[in-house]
Amino acid sequence: MAKLNGFEFWKKTLKEARFVVAPMVDQSELAWRLLSRRHGAQLCYTPMLHAQVFVRDANYRRENLFNEVCEEDRPLITQFCANDPEVFIQAALLAQAYCDAIDLNLGCPQMIAKRGHYGVFLQDEWELLQKMVRLANEKLSVPITCKIRVFEEMEKTVRYAQMLEKAGCQLLTVHGRTKDQKGALTGIASWEHIMAVRKAVNIPVFANGNIQHLSDVERCIQETGVQGVMSAEGNLHNPALFEGCSPPVWEMAEEYLEVVKQHPPCTLSYVRAHLFKLWHHTLQIHQDLREDLAKVKTIDGLANVSTQLRLRCQEEMAKGQGVEQKESSLPFPHWICQPYIRPAPKEPVANGNTRGSEVKKTVCQKRALEDSDGTADPLSKNKQKKRSRNPNKNFCPEEKPKYIKCEECGNPKGNKCVFNLCRGCCKKKAYKEVADCPSHGLRFKTKAEKLKAEEDRKEDGKEDEGMDGRKEERKDGMDERKERKEERKDGMDGRKEERKDGRKQEGKEERKNGPVTETESSSSSSSSSSPQPPSELQVQPL
């Protein structure tokens, strides 16, 4: 069957999907996708997968895609982050049989994407992106799609989208925010940029950004003319968003946990993160259960905390039924599924003095991501804990020791590795050459020698057992011959004794009865041949 492209792909393969669940790192796993599909989602993406890890690690492939094959989970698009055309193609070729399209992530703005040089941090390298998309379009049996962020300049955004379309992109998802709009500075997505892209390209376009309710979805489609709308955070806080309803949180939580049990295994951290999102507003009130939710280590434990939250919410409903909610400014009670809206940063006034503290307070409501440009960002909670345990610990990236790169892949090499490689590359080389690397705990040579020694001992043991067996057989044979000799000797001795006893008895009879006559001897011989009962002896008087 020929590969479908553009609108034909959207209509036939994606079945004109309008409601789309976004690719989310460690959040759009199989159980969550199935829950979202039950409540109106028509198309889902896998979590963002790292192409290089996907190629080299079979366990990573199984855990993140191969083991999640499910007939209900279609249509499905697999998303990769990559910066090497060859690696991206290898990963896509491995994944294409398990999905309906391959998506290239060009929108991730997080610091890990900056350090790994992928996501939105590739948006200025058009030559590289052209090559990656073109090769994917030529070599894959499924379409190639892209998810991008916009530039501040609308014209540059349009040229960017047209470049990707020309390279072979068959569907484009446009997140209407720039790479700097993240965290506390997220702000409002620009639907104007999305509309401009939609008018400039001849492939289907999905919009992403500002989606909190089903009414936002409909309004976005009308204003921008896109074919579908993608939701990330709105979906995490309300999986029934595309149904147009806002159910009680516990209904979604219990249904999600049921799906998790039906489709194991599911990583505990994923489930915990989803419950934190669903119960976000309630956990602001019941802080003790927030701590319990963070500490439990089993699915049943998480379900138990969720049940306790439900009981507390139902108690509040029973006590305050019909009473106005005064504890917060939420549009619904905290136990109803609803989006989390970040407060927008306030603009400083002209003189820059009167509202400076307000701006700083607003921006710092969510911790800014660490950056390597020298900005004085606060430490993460994890690093604060480490510093409390070790006040002299250094967290400055510039003063940390520089690691020597592995000769094969560029990752930090082991300090005492015998091959001067990272652990992954060292393992491959040590296995191939049957060598040891004590610094990485690899003992291929030692194990091979031990195995050979055991085999040698087994062979020696078999030879010894054979010799011992033959010796025993010879010994048993000699013993049997000795026994037969003894039996023959005993037989001969018995016959000798019988003959001797017979002669003795005859001598006694002769002495007692006198000389034996010829007649008596003949009668005695005949009697010996046919035994007769003894006759009575006649005793003569003296």
Side-chain angles (χ1 to χ4, degrees):
M1 181 178 177
K3 181 167 63 174
L4 302 179
N5 296 320
F7 281 96
E8 192 178 10
F9 160 66
W10 174 67
K11 289 178 181 178
K12 294 184 178 180
T13 304
L14 302 186
K15 301 175 183 178
E16 298 185 356
R18 298 171 71 227
F19 305 147
V20 186
V21 175
M24 297 172 283
V25 178
D26 297 342
Q27 294 284 267
S28 55
E29 83 287 355
L30 175 62
W32 188 259
R33 298 197 300 265
L34 293 177
L35 177 70
S36 300
R37 291 179 191 274
R38 290 182 181 182
H39 295 279
Q42 299 168 338
L43 171 64
C44 293
Y45 283 65
T46 67
M48 182 192 74
L49 306 178
H50 198 293
Q52 188 176 37
V53 181
F54 195 85
V55 170
R56 73 168 183 248
D57 193 338
N59 290 330
Y60 184 82
R61 294 195 292 272
R62 285 193 296 269
E63 293 170 1
N64 291 280
L65 185 61
F66 295 176
N67 286 348
E68 294 193 346
V69 175
C70 180
E71 293 182 1
E72 304 172 43
D73 190 33
R74 301 300 278 267
L76 177 69
I77 296 180
T78 300
Q79 188 187 70
F80 286 106
C81 66
N83 55 23
D84 184 315
E86 295 300 327
V87 173
F88 175 56
I89 296 304
Q90 290 178 40
L93 288 171
L94 290 169
Q96 65 180 358
Y98 300 87
C99 59
D100 298 291
I102 300 295
D103 186 78
L104 177 60
N105 185 328
L106 301 175
C108 181
Q110 304 302 327
M111 187 51 56
I112 189 173
K114 183 176 182 180
R115 291 171 180 165
H117 192 56
Y118 57 81
V120 74
F121 299 98
L122 294 176
Q123 68 177 1
D124 292 318
E125 301 184 30
W126 289 16
E127 185 177 348
L128 173 63
L129 297 182
Q130 278 181 316
K131 183 177 181 181
M132 293 176 72
V133 175
R134 185 176 63 254
L135 282 175
N137 186 47
E138 292 173 356
K139 295 187 177 183
L140 298 181
S141 61
V142 295
I144 175 70
T145 69
C146 296
K147 185 174 186 292
I148 65 171
R149 284 198 171 216
V150 301
F151 293 94
E152 290 185 2
E153 305 87 355
M154 191 175 294
E155 292 181 0
K156 188 174 182 180
T157 303
V158 169
R159 294 199 309 273
Y160 182 39
Q162 290 174 332
M163 177 271 295
L164 293 172
E165 179 190 11
K166 187 176 179 181
C169 178
Q170 303 302 322
L171 184 147
L172 196 62
T173 301
V174 184
H175 189 163
R177 295 185 175 93
T178 66
K179 69 178 180 181
D180 296 322
Q181 286 183 278
K182 57 187 177 182
L185 301 174
T186 296
I188 304 299
S190 172
W191 285 359
E192 290 79 11
H193 283 70
I194 298 174
M195 181 172 61
V197 170
R198 174 67 199 94
K199 291 180 179 179
V201 298
N202 297 313
I203 56 175
V205 175
F206 290 159
N208 184 209
N210 303 343
I211 305 302
Q212 298 168 358
H213 304 281
L214 183 60
S215 58
D216 298 326
V217 176
E218 302 294 345
R219 186 164 55 89
C220 180
I221 292 175
Q222 291 176 2
E223 292 185 13
T224 62
V226 294
Q227 279 64 48
V229 173
M230 178 182 286
S231 174
E233 288 198 350
N235 167 261
L236 289 176
H237 288 275
N238 181 12
L241 181 150
F242 292 125
E243 276 187 328
C245 62
S246 297
V249 173
W250 59 80
E251 289 185 7
M252 292 293 97
E254 290 172 359
E255 186 176 356
Y256 170 63
L257 290 171
E258 188 64 30
V259 177
V260 167
K261 292 179 181 179
Q262 291 173 1
H263 297 273
C266 186
T267 306
L268 185 69
S269 61
Y270 299 179
V271 183
R272 193 196 311 275
H274 281 302
L275 293 182
F276 266 115
K277 290 284 187 183
L278 289 170
W279 286 109
H280 174 81
H281 300 296
T282 302
L283 290 171
Q284 307 305 310
I285 300 170
H286 301 285
Q287 293 286 340
D288 57 327
L289 292 181
R290 182 185 184 86
E291 295 297 324
D292 292 343
L293 190 63
K295 290 178 181 177
V296 293
K297 299 185 182 299
T298 62
I299 298 294
D300 291 336
L302 295 173
N304 182 48
V305 176
S306 183
T307 301
Q308 294 182 56
L309 286 165
R310 172 175 60 81
L311 294 174
R312 292 193 184 184
C313 291
Q314 290 174 340
E315 287 178 6
E316 291 181 27
M317 291 171 63
K319 292 178 181 178
Q321 193 170 11
V323 180
E324 234 178 84
Q325 297 294 326
K326 298 180 180 179
E327 68 272 8
S328 69
S329 59
L330 296 174
F332 303 109
H334 61 80
W335 56 77
I336 298 296
C337 288
Q338 55 194 304
Y340 166 66
I341 303 173
R342 292 191 184 94
K346 297 180 180 179
E347 295 292 336
V349 295
N351 56 23
N353 294 326
T354 57
R355 297 178 62 186
S357 60
E358 293 181 5
V359 173
K360 182 177 180 181
K361 182 178 179 181
T362 304
V363 171
C364 292
Q365 285 182 355
K366 184 173 181 180
R367 178 179 62 84
L369 295 170
E370 296 175 17
D371 208 335
S372 58
D373 56 4
T375 56
D377 291 329
L379 294 175
S380 65
K381 291 183 179 180
N382 189 28
K383 289 184 178 179
Q384 289 175 12
K385 290 179 183 178
K386 290 181 179 179
R387 187 170 61 183
S388 65
R389 293 193 294 266
N390 184 7
N392 298 322
K393 189 171 180 64
N394 177 27
F395 293 101
C396 179
E398 297 176 355
E399 297 180 8
K400 286 186 176 181
K402 303 297 181 182
Y403 293 102
I404 302 174
K405 291 185 177 181
C406 169
E407 297 175 359
E408 298 289 337
C409 65
N411 289 328
K413 81 172 189 68
N415 291 331
K416 297 181 181 179
C417 176
V418 296
F419 300 115
N420 291 323
L421 301 173
C422 67
R423 193 180 193 284
C425 298
C426 176
K427 186 175 182 180
K428 292 178 182 177
K429 189 166 185 178
Y431 177 78
K432 186 177 180 180
E433 299 183 3
V434 192
D436 288 348
C437 181
S439 67
H440 284 130
L442 303 175
R443 310 285 181 187
F444 294 111
K445 183 178 179 181
T446 303
K447 290 179 180 178
E449 292 176 349
K450 185 183 292 187
L451 184 62
K452 186 177 179 182
E454 289 178 358
E455 291 176 353
D456 292 342
R457 283 197 299 271
K458 287 180 181 179
E459 291 178 359
D460 294 341
K462 289 179 181 179
E463 292 179 359
D464 294 340
E465 288 177 2
M467 293 178 65
D468 294 339
R470 289 191 293 273
K471 287 181 180 178
E472 290 293 333
E473 289 177 0
R474 288 197 296 271
K475 185 178 179 181
D476 293 339
M478 293 174 66
D479 292 339
E480 288 179 1
R481 288 194 293 273
K482 286 182 179 179
E483 289 178 0
R484 288 196 294 271
K485 286 181 180 180
E486 291 291 335
E487 288 176 358
R488 288 195 297 272
K489 185 178 179 182
D490 292 340
M492 292 174 67
D493 293 341
R495 288 192 292 275
K496 287 180 180 179
E497 289 292 332
E498 288 177 0
R499 289 195 294 271
K500 187 176 180 182
D501 292 340
R503 287 194 296 271
K504 286 181 179 181
Q505 187 67 27
E506 290 175 358
K508 287 180 181 180
E509 291 291 337
E510 289 178 358
R511 287 193 297 272
K512 183 175 181 181
N513 299 326
V516 179
T517 62
E518 186 177 349
T519 308
E520 289 175 351
S521 62
S522 62
S523 64
S524 64
S525 61
S526 63
S527 64
S528 62
S529 61
S530 56
Q532 298 294 330
S535 59
E536 294 183 2
L537 297 176
Q538 295 179 359
V539 181
Q540 297 179 358
L542 296 175

